[in-house]
Amino acid sequence: MDSFTEHTSFYIDGGLQQPLGSETYTVIGASTEEPIGRVPVAGGKDIDAAATAARRALDSPGAPWPTASPAERADAMERFADAIQARADQFGRLVSRENGMPIAMSPRANAHSTAAILRYYAGLARTFEWEERRPSFTGTTTLVRREPVGVVGAIVPWNYPQTLAIMKVAPALAAGCAIVLKPALETSLDAYLLAEAAAEAGLPPGVLNIVPGALEAGESLVAHPGVDKIGFTGSTPAGRSIAEVCGRLLRPVTLELGGKSAAIVLDDADLDATIKGLPGISFFNNGQTCYGSTRLLAPASRYAEILDAVSAMASGLRVGDPLDPATAVGPVVSAAQRERIEGYIASGHSEGARLTAGGGRPAGLDRGWYVEPTVFADVRPDMTIFREEIFGPVLVVTPYSSDDEAVALANDSEYGLGGTVWTTDEERGTAIARRVRTGSIGVNGYRLDFNSPFGGRRASGLGRELGPEGLNAYLELQSVYLPA
């Protein structure tokens, strides 16, 4: 399983197709800095082939997907979920090798959750009101129909490659769309496992096409004339560029972008429970989590106590081999990502923040792109590390003097994706949560709910994924005005 894996084809039109270019990409293991695989890199012509196959799957006379009932689509999705579930160990281990995700969470994040999302949307497809008759104010009736948006271009990053892909693929399949999925090159090997599962599930040719690529492939997909909608998860700068193209083309787009979320620790918080919960929302997946609470706001009355506990927690997290079940923090995805994180750590030093944990590379781990879990104290709102998304295991701590100031600090950001409130008074915590301008927020934890909308405000994105709202994003509405 851990040998070098080479792929020479793309998954297009229900089978393997040779690339139309010669460029390849070598996938490097995050913990070993050694090559673990090689894949072809999609160019514009490959994207065109995939988009053409997707269009054919929807428009060709006699194509099975457009005529399938919602129940038949749901059956196919459940077979797809079963095929993914059967490969859970393979998905988990492969993604851990690719991007450094600790193996203790990787099978759940890359197989169990993806299968659950598919099953959720399969169930929704069976019960969704695809058509309804509404009485008209003229005394007649209007038939309101919900139909698939068409061909979907889905572009996903490397941090949660399977979950983020299925958050687009599952509602698109439930709606009756066809998809061109462009995975990130850093985690392209696991995309071929997804193709295997799709083929085993018997998805009709062209309904799901998988073409790993870089900037050229992404730009070609976003602007392709045969694509009807874009679903994107990634950085805010990339999201802005995609939004500009989609705006010019009047093409619907869902964007789930960056974050710089706040953890508000109220003065009545149970410190032991807070410290127990923080690793899962501040250092989860080595800090490579878009909704992570990476700004901790602590009451001035308990600032020293909370800071000491948070710093001790970070220093005590086990850093090491992502394939070791005891590892809490593995390496980040690449040398470039580590350099970026280290640049932010240097910025924290130069702007006067006080380092209380980590800040360097862990001793004894000479290979792999490791960064120590890091905590900065006395971080002011004007500091770079308070304002910009670091996307690594770095937590910044800022004091506040009142609930109003805590809310103001939480909202003092161009982002608005996640967040948490920590308190022993659920009613008070909920009241604070309501005041934070963010797409999602948890009280005494953060548990992503497949049945509820997920997404961001402002620089954190447009639109929502998950829940019935995630299905609506892949539908078009048609009103049929019936005669009296």
Side-chain angles (χ1 to χ4, degrees), residues 13 20 27 35 54 101 104 115 121 143 161 169 212 215 219 266-267 290 389 393 412 433 448 451:
D13 207 19
L20 298 174
V27 181
M101 181 182 291
Y121 278 107
L143 177 66
V169 170
L215 182 61
E219 290 178 340
L266 297 181
D267 54 15
C290 54
E389 183 178 40
D412 185 12
L448 202 64
N451 193 38

Side-chain angles (χ1 to χ4, degrees), residues 282-307:
S282 297
F283 294 104
F284 203 51
N285 194 22
N286 317 327
Q288 299 174 141
T289 300
C290 54
Y291 60 73
S293 292
T294 55
R295 292 183 295 145
L296 190 142
L297 309 178
S301 61
R302 299 182 66 186
Y303 183 68
E305 173 194 14
I306 291 170
L307 180 61

Side-chain angles (χ1 to χ4, degrees), residues 5 29 44 77 191 208 215 227 323 326 334 336 348 357 360 380 392 395 397 451:
T5 303
M77 293 170 66
L208 176 61
L215 182 61
V227 170
L323 297 178
S334 66
R380 303 185 310 271
L395 178 65
V397 184
N451 193 38

Side-chain angles (χ1 to χ4, degrees), residues 278-372:
L278 279 175
I281 55 112
S282 297
F283 294 104
F284 203 51
N285 194 22
N286 317 327
Q288 299 174 141
T289 300
C290 54
Y291 60 73
S293 292
T294 55
R295 292 183 295 145
L296 190 142
L297 309 178
S301 61
R302 299 182 66 186
Y303 183 68
E305 173 194 14
I306 291 170
L307 180 61
D308 287 348
V310 168
S311 302
M313 174 271 291
S315 298
L317 293 174
R318 179 166 176 172
V319 182
D321 182 356
L323 297 178
D324 183 345
T327 292
V329 177
V332 296
V333 69
S334 66
Q337 184 68 9
R338 180 169 67 177
E339 289 172 9
R340 168 187 164 87
I341 296 163
E342 290 176 336
Y344 278 110
I345 292 172
S347 170
H349 283 296
S350 67
E351 293 183 5
R354 177 163 57 97
L355 186 70
T356 61
R361 300 180 181 182
L365 293 172
D366 298 328
R367 303 187 72 185
W369 297 305
Y370 291 93
V371 179
E372 290 178 318

Side-chain angles (χ1 to χ4, degrees), residues 196-254:
E196 281 184 19
E200 182 178 304
L203 292 182
V207 169
L208 176 61
N209 308 274
I210 303 176
V211 279
L215 182 61
E216 179 188 349
E219 290 178 340
S220 297
L221 184 56
V222 169
H224 195 281
V227 170
D228 299 298
K229 176 191 166 60
I230 294 295
F232 172 78
T233 298
S235 73
T236 296
R240 292 186 197 278
S241 297
I242 290 170
E244 288 177 4
V245 175
C246 290
R248 186 175 67 251
L249 296 172
L250 299 180
R251 178 167 295 168
V253 60
T254 302

